[in-house]
Structures are given as C-alpha cells and as structure tokens.
Amino acid sequence: MLRYFIEVAYKGTRYSGFQIQQNANSVQAEIEKALKIYFKEAISLTCSSRTDAGVHATGNYFHFDSKGLPEQEILNEVIYNLNAILPEDIVVKRIFAVGPAAHSRFDATSRVYQYAVYQTKDPFVADRAYYYPYTLDIVKLQEAAGILMRYHDFTSFSKRNTQVKTFNCNIFNSEWIVQNNLTVYRVEANRFLRGMVRGLVGTMLKVGTGKISVACFCDIIESKDCTKADFSVPACGLFLLEVRYNF
C-alpha cells in the first residue's frame, strides 16, 4: 500500500465542519464521496486539522492509503475529474505520494490561521469576514498580538468539553495587518485548541476598541479561565491558510 496526501481548499459556509460526522454534511464527506465515485471503491481519509462549521481553508490536508495511483501526469487528470465531481465550494489542489509512515496530522510542524474583520459594509466579503463597524486601535491590537508569543498555556482560549492532554501551544507568529480594507489577524503555531483563534480574536477586539486594557488581556491569559475570554466572533471570518510540513 502506498500513502498519499491530498491538499484541498474550501469555502466552509455550507458545511458543518471539515471532519466527517453523523447526520451533518462535512468537507470530508464530500471528498470521500467524490473519491468513491471516481475510483469505484471506498477510500477512508485521515484529516490534518479539523475546522468548525462555517470555517474556510485555502490549504488543508488529508492522507489515505492505496494500492497505487497513476503517475503524476495522469494524476493531474484525476484531480481535474475529482474537481468536476465535487461541489463548487470545494477544490482538490494536489495529490502526491509520501512515505508510508507520513501522517497529515502528526507530521505537521505548524498551522497558519487568519481572521478577517471589515468595518465598512461590503457585500462582497460578507461571507468571508466579520462586519465589525467600530473604531479599532491597530497599535493596541499589535501589542496584544505580540504579547501572545510570551505565553504557552492557552487554557483561557480553549472551549470547554475538549479532549486534550495539554493546553500548551507554541505560537511562532502573531500579528494584525491591514490589507484591502480588511483588518486581519494572522497567527502561526505548532497546534491550536478548540475555538482558540476565535477566542483570541474576540478578546483582542475588546482591546482594540478600548473595552479592556492590554494589562487586562494579560490577566485573562494568566487566569486560565475560558469564561473570561470572548468567543463570540462568527466562523465566517476564519481561514486555515496553510498546514506546514518538513517534506
């Protein structure tokens, strides 16, 4: 058996999340359905990163095992045909062979997310960003974002009922940028907790609007109490940009 990675992108608006689940449509379910139609056999996928309902991705991965797929030139035709089968809001970007022990989840060295906010009404980004019509202090946002790299325990930014052994994460980059009339938070870490990016964004927006101070933001981190963070920002503004590997 050979192992393959599939890189996919999707607009998550219509889906209950990335990973397959009972009684709800998911990105994984649609891709497995397309693979079964094309290859005429069931192929089970293992996902690299779960995303919640309504969250988008420009680069996420699955891996699967097969007795052998065609050479790359023909494989490009396979990708074309799979995309013809898939809904318009999901695309297979590439399929490539990896080592037999490669794992799309456990071999990832980091993941990059971004959350986009817009402050002037714009129907063309309404389903891909959060409308937040309030004045934001970008300097305070940047200060809060930079502080996050000093910490490792993010218990305060993990939703309850999550099954993890540790709440420690290593954040490699954390910044707010302004681009194309959007205020965007971008963060890279070795791992993320359930609801973590939205919790960070919602709480930092309070800093940016002056509702809480930077010192209060630090207190929330150090409290290790998720009831003090703000998870209320909607899923539409969140993108998984990239999952990074060393191969």
Side-chain angles (χ1 to χ4, degrees):
M1 298 289 280
L2 299 176
R3 179 154 292 184
Y4 296 87
F5 272 30
I6 302 181
E7 184 182 7
V8 299
Y10 51 88
K11 184 178 176 183
T13 306
R14 297 193 307 119
Y15 300 98
S16 58
F18 186 54
Q19 193 173 40
I20 201 163
Q21 51 195 285
Q22 290 185 341
N23 304 317
N25 197 23
S26 67
V27 175
Q28 181 178 355
E30 289 292 343
I31 296 173
E32 287 190 355
K33 188 190 305 180
L35 288 168
K36 187 174 183 179
I37 290 171
Y38 186 79
F39 290 111
K40 296 180 173 56
E41 63 174 298
I43 293 178
S44 179
L45 299 172
T46 299
C47 68
S48 67
S49 300
R50 301 176 183 178
T51 53
D52 292 337
V55 176
H56 319 295
T58 57
N60 204 350
Y61 288 85
F62 291 106
H63 77 249
F64 69 95
D65 295 325
S66 173
K67 293 178 181 178
L69 295 183
E71 294 298 322
Q72 190 62 50
E73 184 176 347
I74 302 175
L75 196 52
N76 291 336
E77 184 177 333
V78 172
I79 294 169
Y80 175 86
N81 286 314
L82 285 174
N83 283 329
I85 297 168
L86 285 164
E88 61 183 10
D89 48 12
I90 301 175
V91 61
V92 171
K93 298 172 72 174
R94 19 175 219 154
I95 302 175
F96 55 96
V98 293
H103 197 288
S104 60
R105 178 183 175 190
F106 299 128
D107 285 346
T109 57
S110 69
R111 294 162 175 85
V112 183
Y113 280 90
Q114 87 168 24
Y115 193 96
V117 174
Y118 65 108
Q119 294 159 276
T120 302
K121 190 174 180 181
D122 184 348
F124 299 105
V125 297
D127 56 353
R128 289 169 287 116
Y130 174 34
Y131 181 45
Y132 194 75
Y134 306 102
T135 301
L136 290 170
D137 186 331
I138 190 68
V139 174
K140 290 289 178 64
L141 286 175
Q142 285 284 40
E143 186 178 355
I147 283 170
L148 289 171
M149 290 186 284
R150 303 177 193 171
Y151 291 90
H152 295 285
D153 190 325
F154 292 96
T155 304
S156 294
F157 300 100
S158 175
K159 288 186 176 180
R160 291 176 174 176
N161 303 319
T162 182
Q163 297 176 341
V164 294
K165 295 180 179 179
T166 174
F167 293 93
N168 286 355
C169 305
N170 297 323
I171 294 183
F172 307 129
N173 183 58
S174 174
E175 63 177 346
W176 285 88
I177 58 176
V178 177
Q179 58 179 30
N180 301 325
N181 298 318
L182 297 174
T183 304
V184 176
Y185 176 58
R186 191 165 293 170
V187 58
E188 179 181 359
N190 67 323
R191 65 191 289 261
F192 288 89
L193 304 167
R194 182 169 173 258
M196 179 173 166
V197 179
R198 288 162 71 181
L200 290 172
V201 169
T203 311
M204 281 191 284
L205 286 177
K206 286 188 170 183
V207 175
T209 53
K211 292 180 180 178
I212 63 172
S213 65
V214 173
C216 182
F217 181 63
C218 292
D219 290 341
I220 291 171
I221 300 170
E222 293 168 10
S223 73
K224 301 179 184 179
D225 181 355
C226 68
T227 65
K228 298 184 183 301
D230 186 343
F231 294 87
S232 64
V233 300
C236 62
L238 182 59
F239 280 77
L240 173 59
L241 292 184
E242 186 179 357
V243 181
R244 292 179 173 168
Y245 300 91
N246 283 331
F247 50 80

